[in-house]
Amino acid sequence: MTTLLGALLVLTYYFIHSIVRRMTKKSEYRDLFPGALELMILKSLSWRPMHGYALAQRLKDISEDYLQIEEGSLYPALQRLLKAGWLKTEIGLSARNRPVRIFKVTEAGAKHLEQEISSVEKMFAGITRVLTLAGQ
């Protein structure tokens, strides 16, 4: 299990750095696998419900500025997750005491997140295996 975790960390490092090299293009999310943004949103919101701007800042901070989540990508993804029933919203207050939509993960969203994490772990395990054994 430790070997798999180490391989995942190495693969994640190369994955993020390959994105950074291509971030000079405006469409950096084309470099992410389908559903990656939604997965990161669900995982972040399962930690703590928050409004869109706070979520974008959280993703930016966690990724050490490798991921710049633009409104044109974030809000449509949030709408897709709401439509799928994986998120719900309520009105809250921002740090500046302004009304904001707070996004929360639903029970169905938590189940979907669990399934997606399992799927991504299997995908990375397969990629790691190929990268490890392809040259032998």
Side-chain angles (χ1 to χ4, degrees):
M1 187 54 112
T2 305
T3 305
L4 178 59
L5 181 59
L8 283 173
L9 290 173
V10 169
L11 191 57
T12 301
Y13 173 84
Y14 284 113
F15 181 71
I16 288 173
H17 285 291
S18 70
I19 290 170
V20 171
R21 274 186 253 126
R22 290 178 266 190
M23 283 183 80
T24 55
K25 294 187 275 179
K26 197 154 180 102
S27 58
E28 71 267 13
Y29 291 111
R30 289 187 197 147
D31 296 328
L32 296 176
F33 59 87
L37 179 57
E38 289 82 354
L39 179 67
M40 292 185 291
I41 289 170
L42 285 172
K43 183 63 177 174
S44 297
L45 293 175
S46 70
W47 171 71
R48 184 184 84 206
M50 56 189 114
H51 58 83
Y53 179 77
L55 176 59
Q57 288 304 116
R58 174 89 175 137
L59 293 172
K60 180 182 173 190
D61 292 345
I62 290 171
S63 72
E64 297 179 346
D65 293 333
Y66 292 129
L67 300 175
Q68 304 288 326
I69 309 300
E70 296 180 17
E71 288 181 24
S73 299
L74 178 65
Y75 288 99
L78 287 168
Q79 290 305 313
R80 287 190 298 275
L81 293 169
L82 283 166
K83 188 175 180 180
W86 298 329
L87 291 182
K88 61 184 177 181
T89 63
E90 64 182 39
I91 300 298
L93 291 175
S94 71
R96 296 182 179 178
N97 263 351
R98 295 190 177 151
V100 291
R101 277 174 83 183
I102 304 293
F103 295 90
K104 293 183 172 190
V105 177
T106 63
E107 189 175 319
K111 286 181 183 178
H112 177 73
L113 174 62
E114 195 175 298
Q115 293 168 345
E116 287 299 304
I117 288 173
S118 176
S119 176
V120 167
E121 287 173 345
K122 289 175 185 172
M123 179 182 67
F124 280 133
I127 292 170
T128 301
R129 183 162 174 76
V130 170
L131 292 176
T132 303
L133 302 176
Q136 294 182 0

